[in-house]
Amino acid sequence: MRHLETELEATLDMIRTELGNSTDLVIRSFTVITQLQAHSAAIVYIDGLANVKDMLESLLANCGESQPVIPPEGVTSPLQWIQSFMLRSGDLSSVKDCDSLCHAILSGETVVLVDGYSEGIAAATNEWKDRGVTEPTSQSVVRGPREGFSETLRTNTALIRRKIKDPRLWLETRQLGAVTHTDVSIMYIQGIVDEKVVEEVRSRLDRIDTDAILESGYIEEFIQDKTITPFPTIYNTERPDTVASGLLEGRVAILVDGTPFVLVVPALFTHFIQTAEDYYQRADIGTLLRLLRYVCLFIALFGPAAYIAITTFHQEMIPTPLLINIVAQREGIPFPAFIEALLMEVTFEILREAGVRMPRTVGQAVSIVGALVIGQAAVDAGLVGPAMVIVVSITAISNFVIPSYNMGISIRIIRFLFMMLAASFGLFGILVGSIIMVLHLSSLQSFGVPYLAPFAPFIKEDQKDNMMRLPQWLLNTRPRLMNHNNPGRQKERR
């Protein structure tokens, strides 16, 4: 750690060298005249990251006078004079070494240096162009707030504080990434959150040793409990109301500068099936939608596999008229049911990915038209049967019902495994695969909390907000495994 030089020019030369004489580096010199003597000074900032208009007006208005300025009693140095009476910025800090000086400049702060002193003043003048608060695109709702996170960390923390105006909402910030020095914040409600979870989050973040953190996905892979699993164990969202709801349940939010996606831990399996809109509708409507999502989850997971198993090994389970129709449709098709399903699933995955990557104006049209044209052409060419097109289509649509994109991808991956088991062993293979999947889910944890809670372990009092959502006046306790300090939500139950 190199300390700053007392000579102003030596410090400025060091800054130019460290930043490679970058063209956006701005150094402006001025003179501080006091009754003691005249002092050479300079302000240093990065053009585009800092808004120095007010600061320049304040400095030049006080330093541009030809008459000496008499410092107030107790002020013995120009640095104290500048910090106490000349700077209008609300957040001032002292920098005494080269690393903190460069970090302050590259973070959008403006540094004031005075000749003869081996320290400087960093003023918070951070202001850069951002996308602003817009409607989230990945988690849309029919009823509810339309605001979503942006790429600016301070904007995101402000959106959460707008919803939770409690002094116990605490925020901790650290820099991760040896090159990027990305600001990463953890947010939680003191007195509601489990301190062990907060300490575990701190410990895992401090263990990260990498050059760059460009998105919250980088952190997710570093801090998740188990990497050998297709299921996500950390929840991500770009909705402030979802994060606020998680904080009120005793979870911890991890915010990363430069991305609108905030991580929420611990994350349970049921967390990925629920949406914020469940609590904005009446309890009966919210319950119906949740049950519908669970049904779609099973269809997306077992739909093609069940069709392959029944048509290949268990034809006796199909009613005779329907079996005759299916056999007539499959007449002339050269492939078994598994190859049919595999062709259609892979084709649909290609169309879905193409629709995501193409320009928004044509992506949706291409994916829909492509699915219709290719599906009809495949049937006419005798490659697949009409029943298989229906099964794959309803499976794909059911997959879109799952609110979490991460969980949807996991289901898509596991679906192919169940298809192979069904083609090899029929319904017995699906049953064995389901047992293995449930055992695997039961072994997972998210920051010490069982992944399948409150199903396993079964927690009776938490079932009121699980597959069903009871009215708000009955949701009087927080999830038991998530909160031990303050389990009551309503005053009469505290």
Side-chain angles (χ1 to χ4, degrees):
M1 180 184 296
R2 292 181 299 166
H3 293 283
L4 298 182
E5 301 288 343
T6 55
E7 295 182 6
L8 178 61
E9 284 303 322
T11 302
L12 296 180
D13 290 340
M14 181 275 298
I15 295 174
R16 295 188 185 98
T17 302
E18 288 290 329
L19 300 183
N21 287 315
S22 301
T23 54
D24 57 351
L25 175 64
V26 179
I27 299 176
R28 182 163 182 174
S29 300
F30 61 97
T31 302
V32 180
I33 303 176
T34 68
Q35 194 178 27
L36 303 175
Q37 59 180 340
H39 299 269
S40 299
I43 62 172
V44 186
Y45 62 93
I46 296 293
D47 188 22
L49 293 182
N51 181 10
V52 296
K53 180 180 177 181
D54 293 338
M55 184 174 180
L56 284 175
E57 291 178 355
S58 175
L59 286 173
L60 296 179
N62 289 277
C63 298
E65 303 173 354
S66 58
Q67 297 296 326
V69 178
I70 301 176
E73 185 178 355
V75 177
T76 59
S77 71
L79 278 177
Q80 292 179 343
W81 166 245
I82 293 174
Q83 183 171 358
S84 302
F85 299 98
M86 296 172 62
L87 293 184
R88 298 176 182 176
S89 176
D91 187 6
L92 301 176
S93 59
S94 176
V95 290
K96 298 182 179 180
D97 59 86
C98 299
D99 293 339
S100 60
L101 173 63
C102 293
H103 182 267
I105 295 173
L106 295 173
S107 298
E109 299 182 20
T110 301
V111 177
V112 182
L113 300 169
V114 179
D115 189 28
Y117 295 89
S118 60
E119 65 175 306
I121 302 172
T125 56
N126 321 64
E127 183 174 296
W128 46 75
K129 300 296 181 182
D130 59 3
R131 182 168 54 91
V133 180
T134 58
E135 183 175 354
T137 57
S138 63
Q139 297 171 323
S140 58
V141 295
V142 177
R143 179 179 179 179
R146 293 292 191 272
E147 58 186 11
F149 290 122
S150 69
E151 284 73 17
T152 306
L153 177 62
R154 195 53 64 227
T155 301
N156 296 341
T157 57
L159 288 173
I160 299 175
R161 287 198 179 275
R162 278 185 58 196
K163 297 185 177 298
I164 305 178
K165 303 178 182 66
D166 193 299
R168 295 177 299 170
L169 180 60
W170 290 3
L171 182 69
E172 302 175 10
T173 304
R174 63 200 69 204
Q175 283 76 40
L176 298 181
V179 177
T180 59
H181 297 287
T182 306
D183 289 329
V184 177
S185 297
I186 62 174
M187 182 175 277
Y188 55 91
I189 301 179
Q190 182 66 21
I192 293 180
V193 71
D194 189 348
E195 289 296 335
K196 294 182 180 179
V197 175
V198 178
E199 188 58 38
E200 184 66 24
V201 172
R202 293 195 193 107
S203 174
R204 296 189 188 186
L205 289 178
D206 292 338
R207 288 200 299 264
I208 296 178
D209 183 13
T210 183
D211 284 346
I213 297 294
L214 301 178
E215 213 273 340
S216 57
Y218 284 60
I219 293 180
E220 182 175 352
E221 290 195 55
F222 277 112
I223 66 175
Q224 61 187 358
D225 285 69
K226 184 180 291 187
T227 56
I228 308 177
T229 178
F231 295 97
T233 55
I234 297 178
Y235 188 77
N236 67 81
T237 179
E238 56 177 335
R239 296 188 59 87
D241 55 337
T242 301
V243 175
S245 175
L247 293 174
L248 291 169
E249 288 183 344
R251 292 184 167 93
V252 179
I254 304 173
L255 301 92
V256 181
D257 190 27
T259 176
F261 287 92
V262 174
L263 306 180
V264 181
V265 295
L268 309 182
F269 181 81
T270 57
H271 200 183
F272 296 91
I273 311 300
Q274 301 172 1
T275 66
E277 195 175 8
D278 292 347
Y279 303 93
Y280 305 146
Q281 304 282 0
R282 290 202 327 260
D284 52 350
I285 299 176
T287 299
L288 175 63
L289 294 178
R290 281 191 186 178
L291 294 176
L292 179 63
R293 291 190 206 107
Y294 278 100
V295 171
C296 292
L297 174 68
F298 281 97
I299 294 176
L301 192 59
F302 299 110
Y307 179 83
I308 293 170
I310 293 174
T311 56
T312 304
F313 294 97
H314 312 283
Q315 295 90 347
E316 68 277 2
M317 298 179 62
I318 307 176
T320 302
L322 178 59
L323 179 61
I324 293 174
N325 288 334
I326 293 176
V327 171
Q329 294 170 8
R330 289 186 49 80
E331 186 176 357
I333 295 176
F335 304 115
F338 172 68
I339 302 298
E340 273 189 273
L342 190 62
L343 286 174
M344 291 302 299
E345 285 288 345
V346 171
T347 302
F348 194 86
E349 293 295 334
I350 293 173
L351 289 171
R352 173 158 37 191
E353 190 65 18
V356 172
R357 305 304 165 196
M358 292 185 68
R360 186 174 301 178
T361 53
V362 297
Q364 187 175 6
V366 168
S367 59
I368 294 175
V369 174
L372 292 174
V373 172
I374 292 179
Q376 185 62 41
V379 173
D380 293 340
L383 297 177
V384 297
M388 181 60 72
V389 175
I390 295 174
V391 171
V392 172
S393 299
I394 192 63
T395 301
I397 294 172
S398 299
N399 208 118
F400 286 124
V401 177
I402 300 174
S404 172
Y405 183 73
N406 283 3
M407 183 60 72
I409 294 178
S410 301
I411 297 302
R412 286 155 59 183
I413 295 173
I414 300 173
R415 184 191 308 152
F416 287 98
L417 300 178
F418 276 108
M419 288 167 55
M420 289 187 287
L421 290 173
S424 302
F425 307 104
L427 291 178
F428 177 76
I430 296 177
L431 178 62
V432 173
S434 300
I435 294 174
I436 295 175
M437 183 184 68
V438 172
L439 291 175
H440 174 68
L441 287 171
S442 301
S443 68
L444 295 180
Q445 288 189 341
S446 179
F447 286 79
V449 179
Y451 192 60
L452 283 185
F455 291 116
F458 184 80
I459 304 174
K460 182 179 179 181
E461 54 266 30
D462 286 352
Q463 301 302 319
K464 58 180 177 293
D465 190 19
N466 193 14
M467 292 188 67
M468 297 190 303
R469 204 274 285 177
L470 297 185
Q472 290 287 351
W473 55 273
L474 286 176
L475 302 180
N476 46 41
T477 57
R478 297 183 176 89
R480 197 181 76 179
L481 291 180
M482 210 75 62
N483 185 277
H484 305 284
N485 303 324
N486 188 359
R489 289 180 187 264
Q490 301 174 16
K491 291 184 178 180
E492 61 269 17
R493 293 299 183 95
R494 289 181 183 175

